[in-house]
Amino acid sequence: MSEKVCCCGCNKDQQFTELAPVLDKYAAVPGSLITILQKAQDIYGYLSIDAINYISEATGIKPAKIYGVATFYSQFRLKPVGKYLIMLCKGTACHVNGADIIEEAISEHLGIKDGETTKDGLFTLNNVACLGCCSLAPVMMVKSADDDETYGNLTKDSVVQVLDEIRARG
Ligand code: FES
């Protein structure tokens, strides 16, 4: 891919170093937009306007269309997420086993609702469908740059304890 310099003078290829190889591989492959967006989100945690524009330049797909796809699918995030992304399972097994109570405890303890990030940028809460470990319901996964940790058989006390332990790590 040729080097791109933004109107402000920054080098977009440097800004999107990790995304460039993804685009080299998929930009010309028809029907690959979702794959590209998934990989971009995996790398940056969310899809920024700059990333959407960069993908548009590489694929020739208009930014409005990419934005439309990104907003249509709930798996995509258009805002930055906290250092720790709490993925709270609201699938059937977790729902039956009290996921709503766990969500309430998280919301009360952190002061955020589904899709929101704490003011200190530490936690984002996202409700998701089945995480694939229903026998441990209710379950949440906490994703960070270092690790993905799964916590099962949650109660409103244990979830608060887990959040406090994570917060103590900083
Ligand atoms: S329903 Fe929650 S892990 Fe399957």
Side-chain angles (χ1 to χ4, degrees):
M1 200 170 17
S2 62
E3 190 174 272
K4 294 177 185 63
V5 178
C6 176
C7 54
C8 69
C10 71
N11 184 316
K12 285 196 173 184
D13 282 333
Q14 277 172 10
Q15 189 185 354
F16 293 107
T17 312
E18 292 158 291
L19 187 55
V22 173
L23 289 166
D24 284 344
K25 187 170 174 188
Y26 293 104
V29 181
S32 296
L33 181 58
I34 301 262
T35 304
I36 293 169
L37 295 179
Q38 283 168 336
K39 291 190 182 292
Q41 182 165 285
D42 284 348
I43 295 168
Y44 304 110
Y46 76 108
L47 301 171
S48 65
I49 294 292
D50 282 350
I52 287 175
N53 287 335
Y54 187 71
I55 292 166
S56 168
E57 284 169 25
T59 59
I61 302 170
K62 288 194 166 62
K65 170 136 195 242
I66 299 175
Y67 188 79
V69 170
T71 50
F72 181 78
Y73 292 100
S74 60
Q75 65 175 298
F76 294 120
R77 294 182 293 272
L78 297 167
K79 288 192 205 151
V81 289
K83 184 173 178 187
Y84 298 98
L85 175 62
I86 303 166
M87 297 168 70
L88 176 67
C89 182
K90 298 296 290 279
T92 307
C94 288
H95 178 71
V96 169
N97 282 285
D100 286 349
I101 294 168
I102 305 304
E103 182 179 6
E104 219 177 280
I106 296 171
S107 291
E108 255 174 42
H109 195 60
L110 298 179
I112 52 172
K113 295 195 177 102
D114 180 28
E116 294 180 348
T117 300
T118 53
K119 288 200 179 89
D120 60 6
L122 210 53
F123 294 101
T124 297
L125 174 60
N126 260 13
N127 290 343
V128 297
C130 182
L131 286 168
C133 39
C134 312
S135 61
L136 299 176
V139 179
M140 73 174 178
M141 183 185 282
V142 180
K143 284 172 89 73
S144 68
D146 305 325
D147 215 354
D148 291 350
E149 292 171 289
T150 303
Y151 301 90
N153 299 314
L154 290 167
T155 63
K156 58 181 184 178
D157 290 335
S158 73
V159 74
V160 165
Q161 197 182 332
V162 167
L163 295 174
D164 285 345
E165 279 167 17
I166 294 172
R167 181 179 268 150
R169 283 185 224 156

